[in-house]
């Protein structure tokens, strides 16, 4: 199928600028040059194309000072099998003959020998065309019929031809042989005929080629892909070679695509000529350019010198149906699957170039653009640390492994920080603990920024646990008002955030004095000792309950029991936000009960504060039991059924009432005798008896009420 006029090569090499001697005239004759133009794209089967032959400037012959001019230039153009002449030049002679006959009949003997030698070399693969090294050279056999066009050229001529038989990508030689150039010399009008002349310009017709290779500059090879032709030929990949043997200063191999590149047609960059000992011998850029109506969209892979490659090929494949991203990720460019799936010892640079027109059409925020990759283990799209150049319209990142990549608008998730301290006041030399959490819960590097009384700051790094909580303890070294805030600088997936500022005071140590312990669980639940519920509990305890002998005695016993376990609960609240919320909700019935008890205390205090604290204790015990214990008793009754019914609730109520009365008498005795141990015992018994009496009365009264409701 190839055009055989390889003769051009011989002609060009023998006569491009060298003068030859004329035996008949004894002078020097310079031959004219003919320039050929072929289509600059890959011709498809059935496509009609034009060939133009132009007579180039020539130096006229000189003999004894007599100048001459050209008479005529005759060109022999050969069309091989598979190429059909559609329209011949005006005045041309068209001859169809076997190749062997055409060579022997039309060409002089000396030229025929050179042409036959060139054909032999091409047939054995010894002739290479650097521009298209990836396609085979088709050579017709000597007994195959060729078409010969014999035409005279004085300026330029054109003819049209068509590829009628091409079932595979090939290189077709459209060579010409300039065999006759006649001159007239001065007034003598002597004629000199010379054979052979140089043909320059294009001499290869690219047929059915999936790629046209071009070298627009000494460091760049462009591979222009014909997607439609490739699919029609059933190709499973497009190979883009490095061609260092032809382009020794190569820095970039670019694949140019003007059609939609399907997933079934991956691009394979052949790096075999650039790999030595398993490593890349030079830095090379591999670029895929999608030429669209909105401009060029590019993916560029920057491979560093010395990169270790397990394979000598890198594959770029379009992913037509990628895994769907999360709601905060919006794909901006096509997804590419890069292979092989391997890790590199040196990072590879990914550079995606986009256009303003695409940004406008999709309505994306350029500042949020980043490169994302598909994490197969997590089955989600994750961001890569990327950099966006808003002026030049590109996003780049360094990666150490290949997988699926694209550019997306990535909206980071908002975060929040909560912070508290173990105490609002601390003595110099004592430790204070900072508690906090970050939401959403995650392992994160945080900063605690402490501001000293003199205005200077200290920054401490902490790492939150999986549940988002963190703690930090230290001993303040300066007296005065301190403050602390937590700072999260953000990461690839989360926005930055700053907590509210929390203050605490460092005081001068004082002489050891009896101190009133704080309400640890309530303080942790509500976040500060200054919160209203915590202040109410503290004021009720300090200014009313402990102001009486009976109340003070009760608090001694209660504190011994309460502070044996409450610090652990409080610490857990600081660590776990959800536990803090649960405890806070569960404290509201207690606060309501104590609020009623305070009102009872105020009523009886007008008469006697000791009686007031006893009445408040009985009220608190019964209400707390009603809120917390009675529902549990009712639940157990409904679950256990008959086994629970065997318990005599009325008997328990009578015993509890007797216990309460006896405890009151014992308490009265303790007040009269002013014996602390009796007051401690009796006050505790009064509260416990009250708490026992309430659920027993509920279990006596509730069944009766239910029976009356059923009978009604």
């Amino acid at each position: 199928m190839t055009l055989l006029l390889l003769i051009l090569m011989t002609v060009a090499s023998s006569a491009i600028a060298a003068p030859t001697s004329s035996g008949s005239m004894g002078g020097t004759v310079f031959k004219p040059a003919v320039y050929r133009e072929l289509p600059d794209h890959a011709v498809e089967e059935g496509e009609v194309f034009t060939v133009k032959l132009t007579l180039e400037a020539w130096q006229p012959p000189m003999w004894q000072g007599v100048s001459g001019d050209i008479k005529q230039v005759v060109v022999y153009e050969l069309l091989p099998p598979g190429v059909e002449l559609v329209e011949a030049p005006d005045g041309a002679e068209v001859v169809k003959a076997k190749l062997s006959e055409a060579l022997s009949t039309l060409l002089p003997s000396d030229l025929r020998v050179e042409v036959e030698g060139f054909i032999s070399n091409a047939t054995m693969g010894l002739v290479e065309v650097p521009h298209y090294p990836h396609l085979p050279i088709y050579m017709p056999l000597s007994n195959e019929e060729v078409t010969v066009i014999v035409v005279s050229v004085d300026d330029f001529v054109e003819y049209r031809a068509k590829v009628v038989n091409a079932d595979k990508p090939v290189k077709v030689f459209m060579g010409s042989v300039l065999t006759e150039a006649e001159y007239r010399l001065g007034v003598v009008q002597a004629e000199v005929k010379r054979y052979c002349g140089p043909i320059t310009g294009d001499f290869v017709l690219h047929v059915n080629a999936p790629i046209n290779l071009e070298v627009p500059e000494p460091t760049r090879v462009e591979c222009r892909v014909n997607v439609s032709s490739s699919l029609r030929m059933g190709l499973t990949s497009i190979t883009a070679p490095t061609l260092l043997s032809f382009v020794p200063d190569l820095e970039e191999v670019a694949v140019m695509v003007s059609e939609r590149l399907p997933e079934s047609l991956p691009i394979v960059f052949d790096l075999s000529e650039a790999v030595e000992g398993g490593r890349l011998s030079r830095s090379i850029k591999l670029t895929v350019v999608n030429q669209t109506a909105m401009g060029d969209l590019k993916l560029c892979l920057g491979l560093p010198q010395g990169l270790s490659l397990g394979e000598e090929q890198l594959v770029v494949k379009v992913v037509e149906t990628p895994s769907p991203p999360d709601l905060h990720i919006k794909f901006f460019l096509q997804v590419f699957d890069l292979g092989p799936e391997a890790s590199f010892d040196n990072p590879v640079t990914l550079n995606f170039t986009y256009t303003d027109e695409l940004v406008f059409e999709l309505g994306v925020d350029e500042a949020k653009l980043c490169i994302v990759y598909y994490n197969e283990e997590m089955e989600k799209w994750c961001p890569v640390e990327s950099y966006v150049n808003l002026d030049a319209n590109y996003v780049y990142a360094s990666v150490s492994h290949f997988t699926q990549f694209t550019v997306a608008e990535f909206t980071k998730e908002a975060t929040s920080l909560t912070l508290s301290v173990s105490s609002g006041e601390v003595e110099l030399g004592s430790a204070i603990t900072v508690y906090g959490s970050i939401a959403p819960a995650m392992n994160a590097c945080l900063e605690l920024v402490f501001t000293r009384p003199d205005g200077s700051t200290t920054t401490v790094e902490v790492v939150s646990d999986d549940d988002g909580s963190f703690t930090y303890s230290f001993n303040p070294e300066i007296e005065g008002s301190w403050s602390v805030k937590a700072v999260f600088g953000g990461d690839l997936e989360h926005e930055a955030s700053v907590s509210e500022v929390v203050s605490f005071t460092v005081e001068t140590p004082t002489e050891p004095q009896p101190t009133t312990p704080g309400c640890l669980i309530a303080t942790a639940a509500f976040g500060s000792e200054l919160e209203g519920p915590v202040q109410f509990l503290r004021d009720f305890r300090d200014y009313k309950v402990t102001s009486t002998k009976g109340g003070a005695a009760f608090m001694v016993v209660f504190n011994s029991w309460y502070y044996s376990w409450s610090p652990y609960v409080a610490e857990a609240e600081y660590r776990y936000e959800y536990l803090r919320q649960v405890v806070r909700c569960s404290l509201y019935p207690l606060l309501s009960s104590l609020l009623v008890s305070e009102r009872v205390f105020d009523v009886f205090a007008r008469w006697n504060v000791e009686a007031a604290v006893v009445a408040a204790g009985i009220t608190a015990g019964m209400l707390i039991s009603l809120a917390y214990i009675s529902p549990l008793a009712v639940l157990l009754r409904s679950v256990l059924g008959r086994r629970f019914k065997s318990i005599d609730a009325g008997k328990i109520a009578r015993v509890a009432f007797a216990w309460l009365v006896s405890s009151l008498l014992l308490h009265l005795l303790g007040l009269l005798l002013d014996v602390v141990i009796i007051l401690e015992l009796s006050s505790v018994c009064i509260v416990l008896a009250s708490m026992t009496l309430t659920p027993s009365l509920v279990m006596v009264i509730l069944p009766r009420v239910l029976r009356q409701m059923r009978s009604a």
Side-chain angles (χ1 to χ4, degrees), residues 218-343:
T219 60
R220 177 181 170 94
V221 171
E222 290 185 356
C223 310
R224 299 189 177 274
V225 178
N226 189 321
V227 176
S228 301
S229 174
S230 302
L231 294 176
R232 283 197 302 270
M233 288 185 288
L235 299 184
T236 57
S237 65
I238 295 292
T239 300
T242 48
L243 304 182
L244 283 176
S245 55
F246 299 108
V247 189
D249 297 326
L250 179 68
E251 295 179 2
E252 181 180 10
V253 178
V255 175
M256 320 293 287
V257 181
S258 58
E259 305 171 72
R260 187 185 67 85
L261 188 65
E263 186 172 353
S264 59
L265 197 64
I267 297 172
V268 179
F269 288 96
D270 184 2
L271 303 175
S272 56
E273 293 190 28
V275 175
E276 297 178 1
R279 292 189 176 273
L280 207 60
S281 61
R282 64 179 62 201
S283 298
I284 291 182
K285 294 180 182 178
L286 307 179
T287 306
V288 178
V289 182
N290 186 7
Q291 298 172 310
T292 69
M294 291 182 290
D296 291 351
L297 307 177
K298 302 178 184 178
L299 164 62
C300 180
L301 283 68
L303 309 183
Q305 183 178 4
L307 180 68
S308 178
L309 294 174
E311 301 182 23
E312 295 182 349
Q313 294 182 337
L314 293 184
V315 181
V316 177
K317 181 172 67 174
V318 170
V319 181
E320 296 177 341
T321 55
S323 298
D326 294 337
L327 295 178
H328 60 283
I329 300 176
K330 178 182 178 181
F331 285 158
F332 178 55
L333 298 179
Q334 271 187 320
V335 175
F336 290 96
D337 189 1
L338 307 183
E341 295 184 0
S343 297

Side-chain angles (χ1 to χ4, degrees), residues 87-104:
E87 181 180 346
D90 293 339
E93 177 186 0
V94 179
V95 179
K96 289 186 181 241
K98 293 182 180 181
L99 175 60
S100 57
E101 295 176 358
L103 294 177
S104 61

Side-chain angles (χ1 to χ4, degrees), residues 338-563:
L338 307 183
E341 295 184 0
S343 297
F344 304 114
D345 52 356
N346 293 328
V348 173
T349 301
L350 296 185
N351 189 313
F352 288 86
T353 303
Y354 57 91
T355 63
D356 291 330
E357 291 79 5
L358 186 62
V359 172
F360 179 77
E361 178 174 319
L362 298 182
V364 300
D365 184 352
E366 284 187 82
K368 294 183 178 180
L369 293 181
C370 73
I371 296 175
V372 297
Y373 74 98
Y374 187 68
N375 190 318
E376 295 185 356
E377 293 182 359
M378 301 175 64
E379 296 184 345
K380 61 180 291 189
W381 289 91
C382 300
V384 179
E385 185 173 2
S386 309
Y387 304 91
V388 183
N389 189 316
L390 301 179
D391 296 327
N393 290 356
Y394 66 81
V395 186
Y396 71 96
S398 294
V399 299
S400 58
H401 73 285
F402 275 170
T403 180
Q404 294 182 15
F405 292 92
T406 188
V407 173
E409 181 188 65
F410 192 95
T411 303
K412 295 184 177 182
E413 187 175 3
T415 60
S416 61
L417 288 165
T418 59
L419 198 66
S420 62
V421 293
S422 56
S423 177
E425 298 176 353
V426 63
E427 290 186 352
L428 185 65
S430 299
I432 189 167
T433 302
V434 178
Y435 302 92
S437 63
I438 184 171
M442 59 178 167
N443 280 120
C445 293
L446 310 170
E447 290 184 346
L448 295 178
V449 182
F450 292 90
T451 302
R452 298 184 179 88
D454 60 5
S456 61
T457 59
T458 298
T459 301
V460 178
E461 292 186 357
V462 296
V463 179
S464 60
D465 295 332
D466 291 337
D467 61 0
S469 64
F470 57 90
T471 61
Y472 177 74
S473 298
F474 82 112
N475 289 22
E477 76 282 6
I478 302 177
E479 298 177 10
S481 178
W482 287 66
S483 65
V484 60
K485 65 179 179 181
V487 179
F488 173 55
D491 57 22
L492 293 177
E493 301 186 36
H494 301 91
E495 295 282 2
S497 59
V498 181
S499 73
E500 293 184 355
V501 177
V502 177
S503 300
F504 59 94
T505 302
V506 180
E507 300 176 337
T508 303
T510 58
E511 293 295 328
Q513 297 178 358
T515 58
T516 303
C519 305
L520 300 183
I521 295 178
T523 301
F526 290 97
S528 171
E529 292 183 348
L530 301 179
E531 293 293 330
V534 182
Q535 284 185 328
F536 162 71
L537 292 174
R538 184 172 59 249
D539 292 345
F540 181 44
R541 178 195 64 186
D542 295 344
Y543 298 113
K544 295 182 179 180
V545 176
T546 58
S547 65
T548 65
K549 293 181 180 181
F554 171 78
M555 290 307 300
V556 171
V557 179
F558 177 79
N559 287 341
S560 298
W561 169 77
Y562 175 75
Y563 289 104

Side-chain angles (χ1 to χ4, degrees), residues 20-36:
T20 55
S21 173
S22 172
S24 60
M25 297 297 298
T28 300
V29 177
F30 289 84
K31 306 167 193 173
V34 176
Y35 179 80
R36 179 188 302 100

